[in-house]
Amino acid sequence: MAEKTKIAVLVSGGGTNLQALIDFEKSGRLQHGKLCLVISDNENAFALERAKKAQIKTSVILKRNFESKKAFEEAIIKTLEENEIELIILAGFMKILSEDFTKRYPERIINVHPSLIPSFCGEGFYGLKVHEAALGYGVKVTGATVHFVNEIPDGGRIILQKAVEIKEGDTPEILQKRVMEQAEWKILPAAAEKVCKEISENRQGALV
Ligand code: GAR
């Protein structure tokens, strides 16, 4: 079988999507990928504890330690290169990456977003704000999307989506939990495997 695709997961917070990836790998379903590195831009992110428990290498890169966004992103790129990372997964990573960064990794960065893109997405829509907006608008169905990352926030090609019902009396917190459980934790690992398989097979093809 082709060599596994080396994955880095970028996180900022709780890391439940990272946990879904870890559990997916542990159960043997991440057949074409390997979780090699977790990078956090927040030293207090619980995601770091999850990574350590799963014995995945971690790196904390704080924006405030750099004089510019460019220097911060260059530090991330250096860490990715040192670890020979082939696929970057944004799993609750709360910074928007610059065009310089995304152009470097065409179709090699994926992101999970907690709505059905193109609804409730783009700059300013992250975390609970997305669910507040969906409830505020009064939509009856929401969901999650995994997409490739390009220079347009939440604008890259869609890989997988899953719809989730909105129920009477939902709060943003209740809805966030349902969207995670019913959609994000399922489609993020599935999309990761799909993309890893493509990368592994293309690499294999290039060698013959
Ligand atoms: C998730 O709901 C993820 O989709 C969202 O933040 C949460 C992170 O949770 N991401 C965005 O809103 C990105 N635009 P987690 O740290 O428990 O995975």
Side-chain angles (χ1 to χ4, degrees):
M1 195 171 108
E3 212 178 292
K4 291 189 177 190
T5 297
K6 294 193 178 106
I7 303 170
V9 186
L10 271 56
V11 297
S12 300
T16 64
N17 278 289
L18 169 66
Q19 190 65 52
L21 289 163
I22 292 170
D23 295 345
F24 192 79
E25 182 177 43
K26 276 219 178 100
S27 71
R29 287 175 290 167
L30 190 59
Q31 288 182 14
H32 295 83
K34 182 173 168 41
L35 298 172
C36 295
L37 176 68
V38 170
I39 299 180
S40 175
D41 68 340
N42 167 11
E43 69 269 53
N44 298 316
F46 187 67
L48 289 167
E49 304 308 316
R50 298 181 190 272
K52 282 174 197 156
K53 199 166 169 218
Q55 295 178 317
I56 302 168
K57 188 173 170 182
T58 60
S59 173
V60 175
I61 303 179
L62 305 176
K63 177 136 186 315
R64 66 170 180 269
N65 289 343
F66 298 90
E67 61 191 18
S68 63
K69 181 169 180 175
K70 192 172 164 61
F72 165 69
E73 290 189 345
E74 272 165 9
I76 296 178
I77 291 168
K78 186 165 175 274
T79 308
L80 295 170
E81 284 180 350
E82 281 167 2
N83 289 279
E84 299 177 335
I85 296 302
E86 299 170 279
L87 178 67
I88 301 160
I89 301 182
L90 308 184
F93 185 66
M94 294 304 173
K95 295 221 167 44
I96 293 183
L97 296 166
S98 73
E99 186 168 349
D100 280 349
F101 190 106
T102 58
K103 278 233 165 94
R104 226 183 151 105
Y105 300 101
E107 305 232 316
R108 291 299 184 101
I109 312 173
I110 68 174
N111 178 49
V112 60
H113 182 77
S115 75
L116 292 174
I117 290 175
S119 289
F120 312 118
C121 65
E123 221 156 335
F125 286 99
Y126 57 86
L128 273 179
K129 286 180 192 288
V130 180
H131 304 294
E132 282 163 10
L135 291 173
Y137 197 96
V139 293
K140 302 297 174 205
V141 174
T142 185
T145 304
V146 180
H147 62 94
F148 285 111
V149 174
N150 64 11
E151 68 284 2
I152 303 159
D154 297 323
R157 184 158 69 85
I158 290 172
I159 305 165
L160 290 177
Q161 282 188 309
K162 193 164 188 291
V164 173
E165 196 189 335
I166 291 183
K167 295 186 179 167
E168 196 85 20
D170 271 354
T171 63
E173 290 79 8
I174 291 171
L175 183 57
Q176 180 182 51
K177 189 159 179 278
R178 189 179 312 119
V179 168
M180 284 176 157
E181 284 173 357
Q182 294 186 5
E184 294 185 50
W185 301 342
K186 294 190 163 101
I187 64 172
L188 182 62
E193 168 56 16
K194 187 171 187 285
V195 176
C196 285
K197 185 167 187 282
E198 283 163 16
I199 295 173
S200 294
E201 287 175 355
N202 285 341
R203 190 189 326 102
Q204 184 83 338
L207 297 177
V208 282

